[in-house]
Amino acid sequence: MTAVELGIPVVRATPDAPARPGSPLLVDRFGRVATDLRVSLTDRCNLRCTYCMPAEGLDWLPKPDLLTDEELVRLIGIAVTRLGVTDVRFTGGEPLLRPNLDDVVAATAALAPRPRISMTTNGLTLAKRAAGLVAAGLDRVNVSLDTLDPARFRELTRRDRLGDVFAGLAAAREAGLSPVKVNSVLMRGVNEDEAVPLLRFCLEHGYQLRFIEQMPLDPQHGWDRDGMVTAEEVLAALRSEFSLAPEPGERGGAPAERWLVDGGPAVVGVIASVTRPFCAACDRTRLTADGQVRNCLFSRSETDLRALLRGGATDEEVADRWRGNSWEKAAGHGINSPGFSQPDRPMSAIGG
């Protein structure tokens, strides 16, 4: 088994560097620079997807623990103006549940230099919100959709809301949130037969589809590798109906491998976090809704920025603590390592 298969990327390693260099950016020991900030706005969600949380939901964060709008915007501003972040993506839980979301987006868009601003959502209320979010400054949206079948959607999400997701996708396209991306997770014995129908649906409506391998981030810690539909299986299913060719050009830090469909210009992406780790090119840093910064989705440690803010720290003191967190980033997530241990927080609390 190779290092990459273990989730340990091949990078120009300097793990024994005695001290962090003087760069103001979010650099780590392996030469990577984080420029993409994922911001969780809430741990709450209005779906109860079976692979994400139990039917009764989770123990939500108490409101006093959450970052206020002012604290949230201040931390985003520090990331953009002092740490070199160029992309901000709002996540959850479900980010559309965050009060004053339009104001937070507008404040982010007003930063100089202006970052690219995107959002990952389940789409339930997007039809009502898309136009306002575009006016506030949102550039792009990813909508989670794992099935096209209403009965299967009810079973997977414990909610009868598939029509609302379809309406949200259409509204996002009409509002100019282009390209509208669709995120799909296939699970064995659940929806593995929908790879081709999902791609047909996205091609017909002008959406860009990305399949994501299921990752060990569930609160029940019940993830089973055998239940995960791999990237190779997804591509094999798609090739039964479409011709696929690797998209020309450098992938860079993008998590998705992209394939031209039937010669293009349409593309489909596959995010193979488990079977084809891309840690070597990772450019992400994460901020949770309660103000903890994480240098990896699977990190088991966090740095508390909320306490710094509420303790009177200056922007530069906060930035320096954030730089220290980035410097300690591991070489890879290690999902395939025998010693891998799932994070204590589930995906809904970390943010995607």
Side-chain angles (χ1 to χ4, degrees), residues 179 199-209 242-248 258-269:
L199 182 53
R200 282 204 190 104
F201 169 80
C202 288
L203 293 175
E204 290 170 4
H205 292 86
Y207 309 140
Q208 192 176 110
L209 178 60
F242 305 96
S243 68
L244 302 179
E247 185 182 46
R258 289 160 50 104
W259 303 81
L260 296 174
V261 181
D262 292 337
V267 298
V268 62

PDB file of all heavy atoms in Angstrom, residues 179 199-209 242-248 258-269:
ATOM      1  N   PRO A 179     -21.489  28.368 -12.118  1.00  0.00           N
ATOM      2  CA  PRO A 179     -22.325  27.195 -12.350  1.00  0.00           C
ATOM      3  C   PRO A 179     -22.991  26.714 -11.071  1.00  0.00           C
ATOM      4  O   PRO A 179     -22.377  26.708 -10.015  1.00  0.00           O
ATOM      5  CB  PRO A 179     -21.318  26.157 -12.861  1.00  0.00           C
ATOM      6  CG  PRO A 179     -20.041  26.518 -12.167  1.00  0.00           C
ATOM      7  CD  PRO A 179     -20.041  28.022 -12.083  1.00  0.00           C
ATOM      8  N   LEU A 199     -26.715  12.290 -13.411  1.00  0.00           N
ATOM      9  CA  LEU A 199     -25.964  13.026 -14.427  1.00  0.00           C
ATOM     10  C   LEU A 199     -26.878  13.488 -15.555  1.00  0.00           C
ATOM     11  O   LEU A 199     -26.768  14.626 -16.018  1.00  0.00           O
ATOM     12  CB  LEU A 199     -24.814  12.177 -14.972  1.00  0.00           C
ATOM     13  CG  LEU A 199     -23.929  12.864 -16.012  1.00  0.00           C
ATOM     14  CD1 LEU A 199     -23.410  14.214 -15.517  1.00  0.00           C
ATOM     15  CD2 LEU A 199     -22.756  11.962 -16.406  1.00  0.00           C
ATOM     16  N   ARG A 200     -27.801  12.631 -15.989  1.00  0.00           N
ATOM     17  CA  ARG A 200     -28.753  13.052 -17.033  1.00  0.00           C
ATOM     18  C   ARG A 200     -29.540  14.276 -16.572  1.00  0.00           C
ATOM     19  O   ARG A 200     -29.728  15.234 -17.316  1.00  0.00           O
ATOM     20  CB  ARG A 200     -29.716  11.905 -17.350  1.00  0.00           C
ATOM     21  CG  ARG A 200     -29.147  10.809 -18.227  1.00  0.00           C
ATOM     22  CD  ARG A 200     -30.288  10.084 -18.934  1.00  0.00           C
ATOM     23  NE  ARG A 200     -29.809   8.890 -19.607  1.00  0.00           N
ATOM     24  CZ  ARG A 200     -29.991   7.653 -19.169  1.00  0.00           C
ATOM     25  NH1 ARG A 200     -30.638   7.456 -18.030  1.00  0.00           N
ATOM     26  NH2 ARG A 200     -29.542   6.629 -19.844  1.00  0.00           N
ATOM     27  N   PHE A 201     -30.023  14.234 -15.337  1.00  0.00           N
ATOM     28  CA  PHE A 201     -30.798  15.352 -14.777  1.00  0.00           C
ATOM     29  C   PHE A 201     -29.981  16.642 -14.810  1.00  0.00           C
ATOM     30  O   PHE A 201     -30.485  17.701 -15.226  1.00  0.00           O
ATOM     31  CB  PHE A 201     -31.212  15.005 -13.343  1.00  0.00           C
ATOM     32  CG  PHE A 201     -31.790  16.148 -12.564  1.00  0.00           C
ATOM     33  CD1 PHE A 201     -33.106  16.534 -12.735  1.00  0.00           C
ATOM     34  CD2 PHE A 201     -31.014  16.839 -11.634  1.00  0.00           C
ATOM     35  CE1 PHE A 201     -33.641  17.586 -12.007  1.00  0.00           C
ATOM     36  CE2 PHE A 201     -31.539  17.887 -10.900  1.00  0.00           C
ATOM     37  CZ  PHE A 201     -32.854  18.267 -11.092  1.00  0.00           C
ATOM     38  N   CYS A 202     -28.743  16.575 -14.391  1.00  0.00           N
ATOM     39  CA  CYS A 202     -27.914  17.783 -14.340  1.00  0.00           C
ATOM     40  C   CYS A 202     -27.585  18.285 -15.746  1.00  0.00           C
ATOM     41  O   CYS A 202     -27.568  19.505 -15.987  1.00  0.00           O
ATOM     42  CB  CYS A 202     -26.639  17.502 -13.553  1.00  0.00           C
ATOM     43  SG  CYS A 202     -26.938  17.334 -11.770  1.00  0.00           S
ATOM     44  N   LEU A 203     -27.327  17.386 -16.670  1.00  0.00           N
ATOM     45  CA  LEU A 203     -27.060  17.804 -18.047  1.00  0.00           C
ATOM     46  C   LEU A 203     -28.285  18.492 -18.648  1.00  0.00           C
ATOM     47  O   LEU A 203     -28.171  19.518 -19.334  1.00  0.00           O
ATOM     48  CB  LEU A 203     -26.667  16.601 -18.899  1.00  0.00           C
ATOM     49  CG  LEU A 203     -25.334  15.920 -18.561  1.00  0.00           C
ATOM     50  CD1 LEU A 203     -25.152  14.659 -19.410  1.00  0.00           C
ATOM     51  CD2 LEU A 203     -24.166  16.876 -18.765  1.00  0.00           C
ATOM     52  N   GLU A 204     -29.463  17.955 -18.378  1.00  0.00           N
ATOM     53  CA  GLU A 204     -30.693  18.522 -18.934  1.00  0.00           C
ATOM     54  C   GLU A 204     -30.993  19.914 -18.393  1.00  0.00           C
ATOM     55  O   GLU A 204     -31.560  20.758 -19.102  1.00  0.00           O
ATOM     56  CB  GLU A 204     -31.874  17.595 -18.626  1.00  0.00           C
ATOM     57  CG  GLU A 204     -31.844  16.289 -19.403  1.00  0.00           C
ATOM     58  CD  GLU A 204     -32.886  15.304 -18.894  1.00  0.00           C
ATOM     59  OE1 GLU A 204     -33.670  15.676 -17.985  1.00  0.00           O
ATOM     60  OE2 GLU A 204     -32.908  14.163 -19.399  1.00  0.00           O
ATOM     61  N   HIS A 205     -30.600  20.174 -17.157  1.00  0.00           N
ATOM     62  CA  HIS A 205     -30.939  21.444 -16.512  1.00  0.00           C
ATOM     63  C   HIS A 205     -29.770  22.423 -16.432  1.00  0.00           C
ATOM     64  O   HIS A 205     -29.920  23.526 -15.897  1.00  0.00           O
ATOM     65  CB  HIS A 205     -31.482  21.188 -15.109  1.00  0.00           C
ATOM     66  CG  HIS A 205     -32.814  20.500 -15.100  1.00  0.00           C
ATOM     67  ND1 HIS A 205     -32.944  19.125 -15.161  1.00  0.00           N
ATOM     68  CD2 HIS A 205     -34.079  20.991 -15.054  1.00  0.00           C
ATOM     69  CE1 HIS A 205     -34.225  18.807 -15.144  1.00  0.00           C
ATOM     70  NE2 HIS A 205     -34.935  19.914 -15.078  1.00  0.00           N
ATOM     71  N   GLY A 206     -28.620  22.032 -16.932  1.00  0.00           N
ATOM     72  CA  GLY A 206     -27.480  22.941 -16.927  1.00  0.00           C
ATOM     73  C   GLY A 206     -26.758  23.043 -15.605  1.00  0.00           C
ATOM     74  O   GLY A 206     -26.072  24.032 -15.336  1.00  0.00           O
ATOM     75  N   TYR A 207     -26.892  22.008 -14.753  1.00  0.00           N
ATOM     76  CA  TYR A 207     -26.184  21.984 -13.476  1.00  0.00           C
ATOM     77  C   TYR A 207     -24.893  21.182 -13.631  1.00  0.00           C
ATOM     78  O   TYR A 207     -24.754  20.369 -14.548  1.00  0.00           O
ATOM     79  CB  TYR A 207     -27.037  21.357 -12.372  1.00  0.00           C
ATOM     80  CG  TYR A 207     -28.421  21.932 -12.239  1.00  0.00           C
ATOM     81  CD1 TYR A 207     -29.524  21.115 -11.982  1.00  0.00           C
ATOM     82  CD2 TYR A 207     -28.649  23.298 -12.366  1.00  0.00           C
ATOM     83  CE1 TYR A 207     -30.799  21.636 -11.863  1.00  0.00           C
ATOM     84  CE2 TYR A 207     -29.928  23.826 -12.245  1.00  0.00           C
ATOM     85  CZ  TYR A 207     -31.006  22.991 -12.000  1.00  0.00           C
ATOM     86  OH  TYR A 207     -32.263  23.511 -11.882  1.00  0.00           O
ATOM     87  N   GLN A 208     -23.963  21.389 -12.734  1.00  0.00           N
ATOM     88  CA  GLN A 208     -22.687  20.677 -12.768  1.00  0.00           C
ATOM     89  C   GLN A 208     -22.646  19.696 -11.594  1.00  0.00           C
ATOM     90  O   GLN A 208     -22.674  20.109 -10.435  1.00  0.00           O
ATOM     91  CB  GLN A 208     -21.527  21.667 -12.684  1.00  0.00           C
ATOM     92  CG  GLN A 208     -20.175  21.061 -12.991  1.00  0.00           C
ATOM     93  CD  GLN A 208     -19.081  22.106 -12.987  1.00  0.00           C
ATOM     94  OE1 GLN A 208     -18.231  22.113 -12.093  1.00  0.00           O
ATOM     95  NE2 GLN A 208     -19.099  23.002 -13.949  1.00  0.00           N
ATOM     96  N   LEU A 209     -22.566  18.401 -11.904  1.00  0.00           N
ATOM     97  CA  LEU A 209     -22.678  17.350 -10.901  1.00  0.00           C
ATOM     98  C   LEU A 209     -21.310  16.940 -10.364  1.00  0.00           C
ATOM     99  O   LEU A 209     -20.340  16.820 -11.114  1.00  0.00           O
ATOM    100  CB  LEU A 209     -23.364  16.136 -11.517  1.00  0.00           C
ATOM    101  CG  LEU A 209     -23.540  14.898 -10.633  1.00  0.00           C
ATOM    102  CD1 LEU A 209     -24.387  15.214  -9.402  1.00  0.00           C
ATOM    103  CD2 LEU A 209     -24.193  13.767 -11.437  1.00  0.00           C
ATOM    104  N   PHE A 242     -22.163   7.182 -20.944  1.00  0.00           N
ATOM    105  CA  PHE A 242     -21.506   8.386 -21.446  1.00  0.00           C
ATOM    106  C   PHE A 242     -20.033   8.092 -21.706  1.00  0.00           C
ATOM    107  O   PHE A 242     -19.446   7.197 -21.096  1.00  0.00           O
ATOM    108  CB  PHE A 242     -21.588   9.524 -20.411  1.00  0.00           C
ATOM    109  CG  PHE A 242     -22.974   9.851 -19.946  1.00  0.00           C
ATOM    110  CD1 PHE A 242     -23.485   9.291 -18.767  1.00  0.00           C
ATOM    111  CD2 PHE A 242     -23.782  10.712 -20.673  1.00  0.00           C
ATOM    112  CE1 PHE A 242     -24.757   9.596 -18.324  1.00  0.00           C
ATOM    113  CE2 PHE A 242     -25.060  11.025 -20.232  1.00  0.00           C
ATOM    114  CZ  PHE A 242     -25.550  10.458 -19.059  1.00  0.00           C
ATOM    115  N   SER A 243     -19.448   8.867 -22.598  1.00  0.00           N
ATOM    116  CA  SER A 243     -17.988   8.822 -22.736  1.00  0.00           C
ATOM    117  C   SER A 243     -17.402   9.885 -21.822  1.00  0.00           C
ATOM    118  O   SER A 243     -17.923  10.999 -21.728  1.00  0.00           O
ATOM    119  CB  SER A 243     -17.571   9.070 -24.187  1.00  0.00           C
ATOM    120  OG  SER A 243     -17.853  10.409 -24.567  1.00  0.00           O
ATOM    121  N   LEU A 244     -16.332   9.520 -21.132  1.00  0.00           N
ATOM    122  CA  LEU A 244     -15.681  10.422 -20.188  1.00  0.00           C
ATOM    123  C   LEU A 244     -14.212  10.561 -20.551  1.00  0.00           C
ATOM    124  O   LEU A 244     -13.542   9.571 -20.841  1.00  0.00           O
ATOM    125  CB  LEU A 244     -15.787   9.897 -18.746  1.00  0.00           C
ATOM    126  CG  LEU A 244     -17.182   9.664 -18.174  1.00  0.00           C
ATOM    127  CD1 LEU A 244     -17.068   9.122 -16.757  1.00  0.00           C
ATOM    128  CD2 LEU A 244     -18.008  10.944 -18.191  1.00  0.00           C
ATOM    129  N   ALA A 245     -13.727  11.810 -20.535  1.00  0.00           N
ATOM    130  CA  ALA A 245     -12.312  12.076 -20.785  1.00  0.00           C
ATOM    131  C   ALA A 245     -11.829  13.083 -19.750  1.00  0.00           C
ATOM    132  O   ALA A 245     -12.555  14.023 -19.412  1.00  0.00           O
ATOM    133  CB  ALA A 245     -12.108  12.626 -22.195  1.00  0.00           C
ATOM    134  N   PRO A 246     -10.612  12.888 -19.219  1.00  0.00           N
ATOM    135  CA  PRO A 246     -10.110  13.845 -18.228  1.00  0.00           C
ATOM    136  C   PRO A 246     -10.120  15.262 -18.774  1.00  0.00           C
ATOM    137  O   PRO A 246      -9.739  15.501 -19.924  1.00  0.00           O
ATOM    138  CB  PRO A 246      -8.681  13.359 -17.961  1.00  0.00           C
ATOM    139  CG  PRO A 246      -8.675  11.925 -18.369  1.00  0.00           C
ATOM    140  CD  PRO A 246      -9.634  11.823 -19.518  1.00  0.00           C
ATOM    141  N   GLU A 247     -10.579  16.216 -17.970  1.00  0.00           N
ATOM    142  CA  GLU A 247     -10.573  17.610 -18.389  1.00  0.00           C
ATOM    143  C   GLU A 247      -9.131  18.102 -18.477  1.00  0.00           C
ATOM    144  O   GLU A 247      -8.346  17.873 -17.553  1.00  0.00           O
ATOM    145  CB  GLU A 247     -11.359  18.464 -17.409  1.00  0.00           C
ATOM    146  CG  GLU A 247     -11.493  19.910 -17.836  1.00  0.00           C
ATOM    147  CD  GLU A 247     -12.245  20.749 -16.824  1.00  0.00           C
ATOM    148  OE1 GLU A 247     -11.947  20.634 -15.621  1.00  0.00           O
ATOM    149  OE2 GLU A 247     -13.126  21.510 -17.235  1.00  0.00           O
ATOM    150  N   PRO A 248      -8.760  18.745 -19.564  1.00  0.00           N
ATOM    151  CA  PRO A 248      -7.382  19.259 -19.678  1.00  0.00           C
ATOM    152  C   PRO A 248      -7.111  20.336 -18.632  1.00  0.00           C
ATOM    153  O   PRO A 248      -8.023  20.969 -18.105  1.00  0.00           O
ATOM    154  CB  PRO A 248      -7.348  19.848 -21.096  1.00  0.00           C
ATOM    155  CG  PRO A 248      -8.513  19.259 -21.810  1.00  0.00           C
ATOM    156  CD  PRO A 248      -9.549  19.008 -20.770  1.00  0.00           C
ATOM    157  N   ARG A 258     -12.187  16.225 -12.570  1.00  0.00           N
ATOM    158  CA  ARG A 258     -13.251  16.598 -13.499  1.00  0.00           C
ATOM    159  C   ARG A 258     -13.084  15.868 -14.832  1.00  0.00           C
ATOM    160  O   ARG A 258     -11.975  15.722 -15.341  1.00  0.00           O
ATOM    161  CB  ARG A 258     -13.268  18.113 -13.708  1.00  0.00           C
ATOM    162  CG  ARG A 258     -13.774  18.874 -12.490  1.00  0.00           C
ATOM    163  CD  ARG A 258     -13.353  20.328 -12.491  1.00  0.00           C
ATOM    164  NE  ARG A 258     -13.624  21.010 -13.723  1.00  0.00           N
ATOM    165  CZ  ARG A 258     -14.640  21.881 -13.932  1.00  0.00           C
ATOM    166  NH1 ARG A 258     -15.482  22.126 -12.947  1.00  0.00           N
ATOM    167  NH2 ARG A 258     -14.780  22.494 -15.080  1.00  0.00           N
ATOM    168  N   TRP A 259     -14.237  15.454 -15.379  1.00  0.00           N
ATOM    169  CA  TRP A 259     -14.255  14.676 -16.607  1.00  0.00           C
ATOM    170  C   TRP A 259     -15.185  15.335 -17.612  1.00  0.00           C
ATOM    171  O   TRP A 259     -16.312  15.721 -17.262  1.00  0.00           O
ATOM    172  CB  TRP A 259     -14.743  13.248 -16.322  1.00  0.00           C
ATOM    173  CG  TRP A 259     -13.917  12.547 -15.297  1.00  0.00           C
ATOM    174  CD1 TRP A 259     -13.991  12.670 -13.929  1.00  0.00           C
ATOM    175  CD2 TRP A 259     -12.858  11.626 -15.545  1.00  0.00           C
ATOM    176  NE1 TRP A 259     -13.064  11.891 -13.324  1.00  0.00           N
ATOM    177  CE2 TRP A 259     -12.345  11.222 -14.274  1.00  0.00           C
ATOM    178  CE3 TRP A 259     -12.295  11.086 -16.701  1.00  0.00           C
ATOM    179  CZ2 TRP A 259     -11.304  10.323 -14.148  1.00  0.00           C
ATOM    180  CZ3 TRP A 259     -11.260  10.182 -16.575  1.00  0.00           C
ATOM    181  CH2 TRP A 259     -10.770   9.810 -15.315  1.00  0.00           C
ATOM    182  N   LEU A 260     -14.725  15.474 -18.859  1.00  0.00           N
ATOM    183  CA  LEU A 260     -15.584  15.957 -19.931  1.00  0.00           C
ATOM    184  C   LEU A 260     -16.589  14.873 -20.285  1.00  0.00           C
ATOM    185  O   LEU A 260     -16.229  13.698 -20.451  1.00  0.00           O
ATOM    186  CB  LEU A 260     -14.749  16.304 -21.169  1.00  0.00           C
ATOM    187  CG  LEU A 260     -13.746  17.452 -21.021  1.00  0.00           C
ATOM    188  CD1 LEU A 260     -12.905  17.574 -22.291  1.00  0.00           C
ATOM    189  CD2 LEU A 260     -14.457  18.756 -20.729  1.00  0.00           C
ATOM    190  N   VAL A 261     -17.853  15.242 -20.404  1.00  0.00           N
ATOM    191  CA  VAL A 261     -18.916  14.293 -20.717  1.00  0.00           C
ATOM    192  C   VAL A 261     -19.227  14.362 -22.200  1.00  0.00           C
ATOM    193  O   VAL A 261     -19.557  15.432 -22.727  1.00  0.00           O
ATOM    194  CB  VAL A 261     -20.178  14.607 -19.893  1.00  0.00           C
ATOM    195  CG1 VAL A 261     -21.277  13.596 -20.221  1.00  0.00           C
ATOM    196  CG2 VAL A 261     -19.862  14.588 -18.402  1.00  0.00           C
ATOM    197  N   ASP A 262     -19.073  13.219 -22.881  1.00  0.00           N
ATOM    198  CA  ASP A 262     -19.339  13.137 -24.321  1.00  0.00           C
ATOM    199  C   ASP A 262     -18.611  14.231 -25.095  1.00  0.00           C
ATOM    200  O   ASP A 262     -19.180  14.884 -25.970  1.00  0.00           O
ATOM    201  CB  ASP A 262     -20.851  13.197 -24.591  1.00  0.00           C
ATOM    202  CG  ASP A 262     -21.575  11.954 -24.089  1.00  0.00           C
ATOM    203  OD1 ASP A 262     -20.928  10.903 -23.939  1.00  0.00           O
ATOM    204  OD2 ASP A 262     -22.799  12.039 -23.846  1.00  0.00           O
ATOM    205  N   GLY A 263     -17.361  14.471 -24.718  1.00  0.00           N
ATOM    206  CA  GLY A 263     -16.536  15.439 -25.429  1.00  0.00           C
ATOM    207  C   GLY A 263     -16.654  16.857 -24.937  1.00  0.00           C
ATOM    208  O   GLY A 263     -15.950  17.748 -25.414  1.00  0.00           O
ATOM    209  N   GLY A 264     -17.546  17.122 -23.981  1.00  0.00           N
ATOM    210  CA  GLY A 264     -17.704  18.461 -23.427  1.00  0.00           C
ATOM    211  C   GLY A 264     -18.709  19.283 -24.208  1.00  0.00           C
ATOM    212  O   GLY A 264     -19.258  18.840 -25.204  1.00  0.00           O
ATOM    213  N   PRO A 265     -18.996  20.517 -23.762  1.00  0.00           N
ATOM    214  CA  PRO A 265     -18.324  21.221 -22.671  1.00  0.00           C
ATOM    215  C   PRO A 265     -18.785  20.815 -21.266  1.00  0.00           C
ATOM    216  O   PRO A 265     -18.199  21.239 -20.282  1.00  0.00           O
ATOM    217  CB  PRO A 265     -18.665  22.680 -22.939  1.00  0.00           C
ATOM    218  CG  PRO A 265     -20.019  22.630 -23.576  1.00  0.00           C
ATOM    219  CD  PRO A 265     -20.009  21.372 -24.421  1.00  0.00           C
ATOM    220  N   ALA A 266     -19.852  20.008 -21.178  1.00  0.00           N
ATOM    221  CA  ALA A 266     -20.336  19.600 -19.868  1.00  0.00           C
ATOM    222  C   ALA A 266     -19.280  18.757 -19.158  1.00  0.00           C
ATOM    223  O   ALA A 266     -18.547  17.986 -19.787  1.00  0.00           O
ATOM    224  CB  ALA A 266     -21.631  18.815 -20.010  1.00  0.00           C
ATOM    225  N   VAL A 267     -19.224  18.911 -17.839  1.00  0.00           N
ATOM    226  CA  VAL A 267     -18.262  18.145 -17.051  1.00  0.00           C
ATOM    227  C   VAL A 267     -18.973  17.503 -15.860  1.00  0.00           C
ATOM    228  O   VAL A 267     -20.031  17.961 -15.427  1.00  0.00           O
ATOM    229  CB  VAL A 267     -17.097  19.024 -16.536  1.00  0.00           C
ATOM    230  CG1 VAL A 267     -16.313  19.616 -17.685  1.00  0.00           C
ATOM    231  CG2 VAL A 267     -17.603  20.109 -15.601  1.00  0.00           C
ATOM    232  N   VAL A 268     -18.369  16.444 -15.333  1.00  0.00           N
ATOM    233  CA  VAL A 268     -18.809  15.834 -14.091  1.00  0.00           C
ATOM    234  C   VAL A 268     -17.573  15.678 -13.212  1.00  0.00           C
ATOM    235  O   VAL A 268     -16.480  15.407 -13.706  1.00  0.00           O
ATOM    236  CB  VAL A 268     -19.492  14.470 -14.343  1.00  0.00           C
ATOM    237  CG1 VAL A 268     -18.533  13.467 -14.978  1.00  0.00           C
ATOM    238  CG2 VAL A 268     -20.084  13.909 -13.057  1.00  0.00           C
ATOM    239  N   GLY A 269     -17.748  15.892 -11.923  1.00  0.00           N
ATOM    240  CA  GLY A 269     -16.630  15.785 -10.990  1.00  0.00           C
ATOM    241  C   GLY A 269     -16.801  14.618 -10.039  1.00  0.00           C
ATOM    242  O   GLY A 269     -17.920  14.208  -9.743  1.00  0.00           O
TER     243      GLY A 269
END
